[in-house]
Amino acid sequence: MTTPPPDDARQIEALFQRYIEAWNAKDFACIANEVYRPPVYVFEAETTSTLPTPDAIVTLLSGLRAELDKAGFTHSELAHVSHCDLGGGLMFASFHYRRFNARDPAAGKEVLSSAYIARRHPDGWRLVAHVFQAQPGELRCLPT
């Protein structure tokens, strides 16, 4: 893994900024069609699943957001993105964010994270896999 070229790094960071903005606006269709590129593979601690279509992504995200909203969720903010170029148009990225909740004054202090594999397509970078990430961590790219 190597450090990505500056333009690719900016595009990956912009992709996650678009994700956060769409998430806060409840624009799950934007996330499903402009951030992800199905099929999306989901690697969790004990299972692997596939989100085969944009509709499956919208259904999953809208359900997750409804649960958060019931608990007082207000918005998320992008904290940091770290990424490593895997070569061949693939990038591994760790997306760090803060989640805010109107009912919890301590909300927003904790940094949460999700890891993804992104693929470069003719129309730009898109997320093709989600990899469970239990705790935030800075990716360290090693030179080849």
Side-chain angles (χ1 to χ4, degrees), residues 2-44:
T2 61
T3 302
D7 191 51
D8 285 340
R10 280 190 294 275
Q11 289 178 32
I12 291 293
E13 290 165 12
L15 184 67
F16 285 109
Q17 186 61 46
R18 183 171 13 172
Y19 195 130
I20 282 284
E21 290 167 1
W23 175 257
N24 288 338
K26 298 182 184 181
D27 189 349
F28 309 119
C30 172
I31 296 169
N33 293 292
E34 298 176 25
V35 176
Y36 286 107
R37 178 64 51 92
V40 175
Y41 299 91
V42 180
F43 299 94
E44 297 183 53

Short mmCIF file of all heavy atoms in Angstrom, two decimals, residues 2-44:
data_model
loop_
_atom_site.label_atom_id
_atom_site.label_comp_id
_atom_site.label_asym_id
_atom_site.label_seq_id
_atom_site.Cartn_x
_atom_site.Cartn_y
_atom_site.Cartn_z
N THR A 2 0.50 2.22 -0.76
CA THR A 2 1.25 3.45 -0.83
C THR A 2 0.33 4.63 -0.59
O THR A 2 -0.90 4.51 -0.62
CB THR A 2 1.91 3.62 -2.22
OG1 THR A 2 0.89 3.65 -3.21
CG2 THR A 2 2.87 2.47 -2.51
N THR A 3 0.94 5.78 -0.34
CA THR A 3 0.16 7.00 -0.19
C THR A 3 -0.43 7.35 -1.55
O THR A 3 0.28 7.32 -2.55
CB THR A 3 1.06 8.14 0.32
OG1 THR A 3 1.62 7.72 1.57
CG2 THR A 3 0.28 9.42 0.51
N PRO A 4 -1.72 7.68 -1.61
CA PRO A 4 -2.35 7.97 -2.91
C PRO A 4 -1.84 9.28 -3.49
O PRO A 4 -1.44 10.18 -2.76
CB PRO A 4 -3.83 8.04 -2.59
CG PRO A 4 -3.91 8.34 -1.14
CD PRO A 4 -2.68 7.74 -0.52
N PRO A 5 -1.89 9.41 -4.82
CA PRO A 5 -1.56 10.69 -5.44
C PRO A 5 -2.48 11.78 -4.89
O PRO A 5 -3.63 11.52 -4.54
CB PRO A 5 -1.82 10.45 -6.93
CG PRO A 5 -1.79 8.97 -7.09
CD PRO A 5 -2.25 8.39 -5.79
N PRO A 6 -2.00 13.04 -4.83
CA PRO A 6 -2.80 14.12 -4.23
C PRO A 6 -4.20 14.26 -4.83
O PRO A 6 -5.15 14.47 -4.09
CB PRO A 6 -1.96 15.37 -4.48
CG PRO A 6 -0.56 14.87 -4.62
CD PRO A 6 -0.67 13.50 -5.24
N ASP A 7 -4.36 14.15 -6.14
CA ASP A 7 -5.69 14.31 -6.74
C ASP A 7 -6.63 13.19 -6.30
O ASP A 7 -7.79 13.44 -5.99
CB ASP A 7 -5.60 14.37 -8.27
CG ASP A 7 -6.93 14.79 -8.88
OD1 ASP A 7 -7.48 15.82 -8.44
OD2 ASP A 7 -7.43 14.06 -9.75
N ASP A 8 -6.13 11.95 -6.27
CA ASP A 8 -6.96 10.83 -5.80
C ASP A 8 -7.33 11.03 -4.34
O ASP A 8 -8.48 10.78 -3.94
CB ASP A 8 -6.23 9.50 -5.97
CG ASP A 8 -6.20 9.03 -7.42
OD1 ASP A 8 -7.01 9.50 -8.23
OD2 ASP A 8 -5.34 8.18 -7.73
N ALA A 9 -6.39 11.47 -3.52
CA ALA A 9 -6.66 11.71 -2.10
C ALA A 9 -7.77 12.75 -1.94
O ALA A 9 -8.68 12.57 -1.14
CB ALA A 9 -5.39 12.15 -1.38
N ARG A 10 -7.70 13.83 -2.70
CA ARG A 10 -8.74 14.88 -2.62
C ARG A 10 -10.10 14.32 -3.05
O ARG A 10 -11.13 14.65 -2.46
CB ARG A 10 -8.36 16.08 -3.49
CG ARG A 10 -7.35 17.00 -2.83
CD ARG A 10 -7.18 18.28 -3.62
NE ARG A 10 -6.57 18.07 -4.93
CZ ARG A 10 -5.27 18.00 -5.16
NH1 ARG A 10 -4.42 18.12 -4.16
NH2 ARG A 10 -4.81 17.80 -6.38
N GLN A 11 -10.10 13.50 -4.09
CA GLN A 11 -11.36 12.93 -4.56
C GLN A 11 -11.98 11.99 -3.52
O GLN A 11 -13.20 11.99 -3.34
CB GLN A 11 -11.15 12.20 -5.88
CG GLN A 11 -10.88 13.13 -7.03
CD GLN A 11 -10.62 12.39 -8.33
OE1 GLN A 11 -11.17 11.32 -8.56
NE2 GLN A 11 -9.76 12.95 -9.17
N ILE A 12 -11.15 11.20 -2.85
CA ILE A 12 -11.65 10.31 -1.79
C ILE A 12 -12.22 11.13 -0.65
O ILE A 12 -13.30 10.85 -0.13
CB ILE A 12 -10.55 9.34 -1.31
CG1 ILE A 12 -10.19 8.34 -2.40
CG2 ILE A 12 -10.94 8.65 -0.01
CD1 ILE A 12 -11.30 7.34 -2.73
N GLU A 13 -11.51 12.17 -0.23
CA GLU A 13 -12.00 13.01 0.85
C GLU A 13 -13.31 13.70 0.46
O GLU A 13 -14.23 13.80 1.26
CB GLU A 13 -10.92 14.02 1.25
CG GLU A 13 -9.75 13.32 1.94
CD GLU A 13 -8.49 14.16 2.05
OE1 GLU A 13 -8.54 15.39 1.79
OE2 GLU A 13 -7.45 13.58 2.38
N ALA A 14 -13.41 14.16 -0.80
CA ALA A 14 -14.65 14.77 -1.28
C ALA A 14 -15.80 13.77 -1.31
O ALA A 14 -16.96 14.12 -1.02
CB ALA A 14 -14.43 15.37 -2.67
N LEU A 15 -15.49 12.52 -1.63
CA LEU A 15 -16.52 11.47 -1.64
C LEU A 15 -17.11 11.29 -0.24
O LEU A 15 -18.33 11.20 -0.07
CB LEU A 15 -15.91 10.15 -2.14
CG LEU A 15 -16.85 8.97 -2.30
CD1 LEU A 15 -17.86 9.24 -3.42
CD2 LEU A 15 -16.04 7.71 -2.60
N PHE A 16 -16.25 11.27 0.79
CA PHE A 16 -16.76 11.12 2.15
C PHE A 16 -17.47 12.37 2.64
O PHE A 16 -18.44 12.28 3.40
CB PHE A 16 -15.64 10.70 3.10
CG PHE A 16 -15.27 9.26 2.95
CD1 PHE A 16 -14.06 8.90 2.37
CD2 PHE A 16 -16.13 8.26 3.33
CE1 PHE A 16 -13.72 7.57 2.21
CE2 PHE A 16 -15.81 6.92 3.16
CZ PHE A 16 -14.60 6.58 2.60
N GLN A 17 -17.04 13.55 2.18
CA GLN A 17 -17.77 14.77 2.54
C GLN A 17 -19.16 14.74 1.92
O GLN A 17 -20.15 15.09 2.56
CB GLN A 17 -17.00 16.01 2.07
CG GLN A 17 -17.64 17.30 2.52
CD GLN A 17 -17.71 17.43 4.03
OE1 GLN A 17 -16.74 17.17 4.75
NE2 GLN A 17 -18.87 17.81 4.55
N ARG A 18 -19.27 14.27 0.69
CA ARG A 18 -20.58 14.13 0.04
C ARG A 18 -21.44 13.13 0.81
O ARG A 18 -22.64 13.32 0.97
CB ARG A 18 -20.41 13.69 -1.42
CG ARG A 18 -21.74 13.62 -2.14
CD ARG A 18 -21.60 13.40 -3.62
NE ARG A 18 -20.25 13.01 -3.99
CZ ARG A 18 -19.88 12.61 -5.18
NH1 ARG A 18 -20.75 12.54 -6.14
NH2 ARG A 18 -18.65 12.26 -5.44
N TYR A 19 -20.82 12.03 1.27
CA TYR A 19 -21.54 11.02 2.06
C TYR A 19 -22.16 11.68 3.29
O TYR A 19 -23.35 11.53 3.57
CB TYR A 19 -20.57 9.92 2.46
CG TYR A 19 -21.20 8.65 2.97
CD1 TYR A 19 -20.82 7.43 2.45
CD2 TYR A 19 -22.14 8.65 3.99
CE1 TYR A 19 -21.37 6.24 2.93
CE2 TYR A 19 -22.70 7.48 4.48
CZ TYR A 19 -22.31 6.29 3.94
OH TYR A 19 -22.86 5.12 4.40
N ILE A 20 -21.35 12.43 4.05
CA ILE A 20 -21.84 13.07 5.28
C ILE A 20 -22.96 14.05 4.97
O ILE A 20 -23.98 14.09 5.67
CB ILE A 20 -20.67 13.78 6.01
CG1 ILE A 20 -19.81 12.78 6.77
CG2 ILE A 20 -21.18 14.85 6.99
CD1 ILE A 20 -20.40 12.26 8.05
N GLU A 21 -22.78 14.87 3.95
CA GLU A 21 -23.81 15.85 3.61
C GLU A 21 -25.12 15.16 3.22
O GLU A 21 -26.20 15.59 3.64
CB GLU A 21 -23.32 16.75 2.47
CG GLU A 21 -22.21 17.69 2.93
CD GLU A 21 -21.48 18.38 1.77
OE1 GLU A 21 -21.84 18.14 0.59
OE2 GLU A 21 -20.55 19.15 2.06
N ALA A 22 -25.03 14.11 2.42
CA ALA A 22 -26.23 13.38 2.02
C ALA A 22 -26.87 12.67 3.22
O ALA A 22 -28.10 12.64 3.36
CB ALA A 22 -25.90 12.38 0.92
N TRP A 23 -26.05 12.10 4.10
CA TRP A 23 -26.55 11.44 5.30
C TRP A 23 -27.32 12.43 6.16
O TRP A 23 -28.44 12.15 6.61
CB TRP A 23 -25.38 10.82 6.07
CG TRP A 23 -25.77 10.23 7.38
CD1 TRP A 23 -25.56 10.77 8.61
CD2 TRP A 23 -26.42 8.97 7.61
NE1 TRP A 23 -26.04 9.93 9.59
CE2 TRP A 23 -26.58 8.82 8.99
CE3 TRP A 23 -26.88 7.97 6.76
CZ2 TRP A 23 -27.18 7.71 9.56
CZ3 TRP A 23 -27.48 6.86 7.33
CH2 TRP A 23 -27.63 6.73 8.72
N ASN A 24 -26.74 13.61 6.39
CA ASN A 24 -27.42 14.61 7.22
C ASN A 24 -28.71 15.09 6.58
O ASN A 24 -29.66 15.42 7.28
CB ASN A 24 -26.47 15.79 7.48
CG ASN A 24 -25.36 15.41 8.46
OD1 ASN A 24 -25.49 14.48 9.24
ND2 ASN A 24 -24.27 16.15 8.40
N ALA A 25 -28.77 15.11 5.25
CA ALA A 25 -29.97 15.54 4.53
C ALA A 25 -30.96 14.40 4.30
O ALA A 25 -32.02 14.62 3.70
CB ALA A 25 -29.57 16.14 3.18
N LYS A 26 -30.63 13.21 4.76
CA LYS A 26 -31.44 12.01 4.55
C LYS A 26 -31.61 11.72 3.06
O LYS A 26 -32.64 11.19 2.63
CB LYS A 26 -32.81 12.12 5.24
CG LYS A 26 -32.74 12.24 6.73
CD LYS A 26 -34.13 12.28 7.34
CE LYS A 26 -34.06 12.51 8.83
NZ LYS A 26 -35.39 12.53 9.44
N ASP A 27 -30.60 12.04 2.28
CA ASP A 27 -30.63 11.80 0.84
C ASP A 27 -29.94 10.46 0.56
O ASP A 27 -28.83 10.39 0.05
CB ASP A 27 -29.93 12.94 0.09
CG ASP A 27 -30.13 12.86 -1.41
OD1 ASP A 27 -30.63 11.82 -1.90
OD2 ASP A 27 -29.75 13.83 -2.09
N PHE A 28 -30.64 9.39 0.91
CA PHE A 28 -30.07 8.05 0.78
C PHE A 28 -29.91 7.65 -0.67
O PHE A 28 -29.02 6.86 -1.00
CB PHE A 28 -30.92 7.04 1.56
CG PHE A 28 -31.18 7.48 2.97
CD1 PHE A 28 -32.46 7.70 3.43
CD2 PHE A 28 -30.12 7.72 3.83
CE1 PHE A 28 -32.69 8.14 4.72
CE2 PHE A 28 -30.34 8.15 5.14
CZ PHE A 28 -31.63 8.36 5.59
N ALA A 29 -30.74 8.19 -1.56
CA ALA A 29 -30.59 7.91 -2.99
C ALA A 29 -29.27 8.46 -3.50
O ALA A 29 -28.60 7.83 -4.33
CB ALA A 29 -31.76 8.48 -3.77
N CYS A 30 -28.86 9.63 -3.02
CA CYS A 30 -27.56 10.18 -3.40
C CYS A 30 -26.45 9.24 -2.97
O CYS A 30 -25.54 8.93 -3.75
CB CYS A 30 -27.37 11.56 -2.78
SG CYS A 30 -25.70 12.23 -3.00
N ILE A 31 -26.51 8.78 -1.74
CA ILE A 31 -25.47 7.88 -1.24
C ILE A 31 -25.45 6.60 -2.07
O ILE A 31 -24.39 6.13 -2.49
CB ILE A 31 -25.69 7.55 0.26
CG1 ILE A 31 -25.56 8.82 1.10
CG2 ILE A 31 -24.71 6.48 0.73
CD1 ILE A 31 -26.00 8.67 2.54
N ALA A 32 -26.62 6.04 -2.33
CA ALA A 32 -26.72 4.78 -3.07
C ALA A 32 -26.26 4.90 -4.51
O ALA A 32 -25.73 3.93 -5.07
CB ALA A 32 -28.15 4.26 -3.02
N ASN A 33 -26.44 6.06 -5.12
CA ASN A 33 -26.16 6.22 -6.55
C ASN A 33 -24.90 7.02 -6.87
O ASN A 33 -24.35 6.88 -7.96
CB ASN A 33 -27.35 6.87 -7.25
CG ASN A 33 -28.55 5.96 -7.26
OD1 ASN A 33 -28.55 4.94 -7.93
ND2 ASN A 33 -29.58 6.31 -6.50
N GLU A 34 -24.44 7.86 -5.93
CA GLU A 34 -23.29 8.71 -6.20
C GLU A 34 -22.09 8.43 -5.32
O GLU A 34 -20.99 8.86 -5.63
CB GLU A 34 -23.69 10.18 -6.06
CG GLU A 34 -24.75 10.62 -7.04
CD GLU A 34 -25.20 12.05 -6.83
OE1 GLU A 34 -24.41 12.84 -6.27
OE2 GLU A 34 -26.33 12.37 -7.22
N VAL A 35 -22.29 7.76 -4.20
CA VAL A 35 -21.19 7.44 -3.29
C VAL A 35 -20.82 5.97 -3.40
O VAL A 35 -19.64 5.63 -3.53
CB VAL A 35 -21.55 7.82 -1.83
CG1 VAL A 35 -20.44 7.41 -0.87
CG2 VAL A 35 -21.82 9.33 -1.72
N TYR A 36 -21.81 5.10 -3.36
CA TYR A 36 -21.58 3.66 -3.52
C TYR A 36 -21.70 3.25 -4.99
O TYR A 36 -22.34 3.94 -5.77
CB TYR A 36 -22.62 2.86 -2.73
CG TYR A 36 -22.41 2.85 -1.24
CD1 TYR A 36 -23.24 3.59 -0.40
CD2 TYR A 36 -21.41 2.09 -0.67
CE1 TYR A 36 -23.06 3.57 0.97
CE2 TYR A 36 -21.23 2.06 0.71
CZ TYR A 36 -22.06 2.81 1.52
OH TYR A 36 -21.89 2.78 2.87
N ARG A 37 -21.14 2.12 -5.33
CA ARG A 37 -21.33 1.50 -6.64
C ARG A 37 -21.64 0.03 -6.39
O ARG A 37 -20.76 -0.77 -6.09
CB ARG A 37 -20.07 1.64 -7.48
CG ARG A 37 -20.12 1.01 -8.87
CD ARG A 37 -21.14 1.63 -9.83
NE ARG A 37 -21.09 3.06 -9.97
CZ ARG A 37 -20.40 3.74 -10.86
NH1 ARG A 37 -19.66 3.11 -11.75
NH2 ARG A 37 -20.45 5.05 -10.89
N PRO A 38 -22.94 -0.35 -6.43
CA PRO A 38 -23.32 -1.74 -6.19
C PRO A 38 -22.77 -2.68 -7.26
O PRO A 38 -22.55 -2.23 -8.39
CB PRO A 38 -24.84 -1.70 -6.24
CG PRO A 38 -25.22 -0.26 -6.07
CD PRO A 38 -24.08 0.53 -6.63
N PRO A 39 -22.59 -3.94 -6.89
CA PRO A 39 -22.89 -4.49 -5.57
C PRO A 39 -21.86 -4.03 -4.55
O PRO A 39 -20.68 -3.88 -4.88
CB PRO A 39 -22.81 -6.00 -5.77
CG PRO A 39 -21.85 -6.17 -6.90
CD PRO A 39 -22.04 -4.96 -7.79
N VAL A 40 -22.31 -3.79 -3.32
CA VAL A 40 -21.44 -3.38 -2.23
C VAL A 40 -21.34 -4.55 -1.26
O VAL A 40 -22.35 -5.08 -0.80
CB VAL A 40 -22.00 -2.13 -1.51
CG1 VAL A 40 -21.15 -1.79 -0.29
CG2 VAL A 40 -22.07 -0.95 -2.47
N TYR A 41 -20.12 -4.94 -0.97
CA TYR A 41 -19.88 -6.04 -0.04
C TYR A 41 -19.70 -5.47 1.36
O TYR A 41 -19.02 -4.45 1.54
CB TYR A 41 -18.65 -6.84 -0.47
CG TYR A 41 -18.86 -7.43 -1.84
CD1 TYR A 41 -18.48 -6.75 -2.99
CD2 TYR A 41 -19.52 -8.64 -1.98
CE1 TYR A 41 -18.73 -7.27 -4.25
CE2 TYR A 41 -19.77 -9.17 -3.23
CZ TYR A 41 -19.38 -8.48 -4.36
OH TYR A 41 -19.64 -8.99 -5.60
N VAL A 42 -20.33 -6.10 2.34
CA VAL A 42 -20.28 -5.64 3.71
C VAL A 42 -19.60 -6.73 4.55
O VAL A 42 -20.16 -7.81 4.73
CB VAL A 42 -21.69 -5.33 4.25
CG1 VAL A 42 -21.62 -4.84 5.69
CG2 VAL A 42 -22.39 -4.31 3.35
N PHE A 43 -18.39 -6.42 5.02
CA PHE A 43 -17.62 -7.35 5.82
C PHE A 43 -17.73 -6.94 7.28
O PHE A 43 -17.19 -5.91 7.69
CB PHE A 43 -16.15 -7.34 5.39
CG PHE A 43 -15.94 -7.76 3.97
CD1 PHE A 43 -15.86 -6.82 2.96
CD2 PHE A 43 -15.85 -9.10 3.64
CE1 PHE A 43 -15.67 -7.20 1.64
CE2 PHE A 43 -15.66 -9.49 2.32
CZ PHE A 43 -15.58 -8.53 1.32
N GLU A 44 -18.48 -7.72 8.05
CA GLU A 44 -18.64 -7.46 9.47
C GLU A 44 -17.83 -8.49 10.25
O GLU A 44 -17.27 -9.41 9.66
CB GLU A 44 -20.11 -7.49 9.84
CG GLU A 44 -20.88 -6.38 9.12
CD GLU A 44 -22.32 -6.32 9.52
OE1 GLU A 44 -22.58 -6.24 10.73
OE2 GLU A 44 -23.18 -6.34 8.63
#
